Amino acid sequence: AQSVTQLDSQVPVFEEAPVELRCNYSSSVSVYLFWYVQYPNQGLQLLLKYLSGSTLVESINGFEAEFNKSQTSFHLRKPSVHISDTAEYFCAVSRRSGSARQLTFGSGTQLTVLP
Amino acid sequence: ETGVTQSPTHLIKTRGQQVTLRCSSQSGHNTVSWYQQALGQGPQFIFQYYREEENGRGNFPPRFSGLQFPNYSSELNVNALELDDSALYLCASSLGGSSYNEQFFGPGTRLTVL
């Protein structure tokens, strides 16, 4: 079975500081990995994904994540955060359930950017 | 191109009642997945429909059921509501048939069971 662990439930950080949100997964097979962001009272938006190829993936708004197979991690980083980055962030792994491909999510990390 | 829409936005029911939630998939998508997100937790997979057939199910009891229509919109039905069913219900659409299908989420329906 696959599972996802997000090690920090809350991460407060000052504006323009760097941030890292940690994610570890367990899987015995090759995986697809994702980071989603959820703003208050909204659904999930895909931030970035790892399917194959380069282990470093980037989003259009400055976030990046690195797939580390040996450490089974997919940590999310941003070198300089903005107030608008305040949101809940979910790490997820894609796995098969019958014929379906479902997402298994971590419990989330609340990122709060302070002025 | 319209995104995934869900209705209603909010819903309040009492224990034992039944509820139907609706989802319209993104244009061109033939697969719909439903997730339950309890307060303070990550979403949990309920089931997925592909071309009007259920093709995968998570660890949810049979009182959670669904439908997918020829236009690929979908319904989630929950019978005999319990207090623990209070959650945000998310619908996600995707284009099935490939080894990987990116899921696009709707804004969700907030269900409160009293």
Side-chain angles (χ1 to χ4, degrees):
Chain A
Q2 297 181 353
S3 68
V4 178
T5 303
Q6 291 185 244
L7 298 165
D8 306 296
S9 59
Q10 301 203 26
V11 174
V13 62
F14 287 106
E15 193 173 18
E16 298 183 4
V19 70
E20 179 179 79
L21 307 184
R22 296 179 292 170
C23 173
N24 287 89
Y25 68 93
S26 64
S27 174
S28 58
V29 298
S30 59
V31 294
Y32 300 140
L33 293 160
F34 306 84
W35 276 98
Y36 281 84
V37 59
Q38 186 175 36
Y39 297 101
N41 301 313
Q42 294 188 27
L44 301 174
Q45 299 175 29
L46 180 65
L47 193 58
L48 45 76
K49 62 192 177 192
Y50 170 78
L51 304 181
S52 63
S54 172
T55 58
L56 185 65
V57 291
E58 299 176 350
S59 72
I60 58 174
N61 57 354
F63 283 94
E64 64 179 29
E66 185 162 18
F67 170 59
N68 188 319
K69 187 175 182 179
S70 62
Q71 297 186 10
T72 60
S73 67
F74 191 55
H75 301 333
L76 180 70
R77 295 187 292 262
K78 189 171 185 180
S80 175
V81 295
H82 304 290
I83 296 288
S84 60
D85 292 325
T86 294
E88 186 95 24
Y89 291 79
F90 292 96
C91 182
V93 60
S94 177
R95 70 178 184 92
R96 286 217 173 268
S97 172
S99 303
R101 184 165 280 282
Q102 73 172 78
L103 292 170
T104 299
F105 289 88
S107 55
T109 297
Q110 173 64 45
L111 173 64
T112 302
V113 181
L114 306 168
Chain B
E1 178 181 290
T2 56
V4 179
T5 60
Q6 293 186 242
S7 64
T9 306
H10 296 87
L11 202 53
I12 299 175
K13 292 285 188 178
T14 56
R15 275 187 304 172
Q17 286 190 311
Q18 177 265 344
V19 68
T20 297
L21 310 181
R22 295 178 175 83
C23 171
S24 291
S25 58
Q26 185 167 309
S27 176
H29 287 179
N30 55 14
T31 303
V32 172
S33 305
W34 286 92
Y35 293 82
Q36 180 195 67
Q37 185 179 15
L39 197 61
Q41 297 182 26
Q44 293 196 13
F45 177 70
I46 302 175
F47 44 55
Q48 183 180 89
Y49 279 82
Y50 173 60
R51 293 183 175 176
E52 303 178 58
E53 298 283 335
E54 183 182 299
N55 70 335
R57 189 177 185 92
N59 189 27
F60 280 82
R63 61 189 184 85
F64 285 78
S65 63
L67 284 172
Q68 187 179 32
F69 300 100
N71 66 353
Y72 302 127
S73 65
S74 177
E75 287 182 354
L76 164 66
N77 300 291
V78 187
N79 294 320
L81 284 167
E82 301 177 359
L83 295 180
D84 285 348
D85 295 333
S86 295
L88 180 68
Y89 288 84
L90 296 165
C91 165
S93 77
S94 56
L95 184 60
S98 64
S99 60
Y100 156 70
N101 39 344
E102 180 175 338
Q103 298 188 19
F104 294 82
F105 284 82
T109 293
R110 173 76 61 187
L111 173 64
T112 301
V113 182
L114 302 176

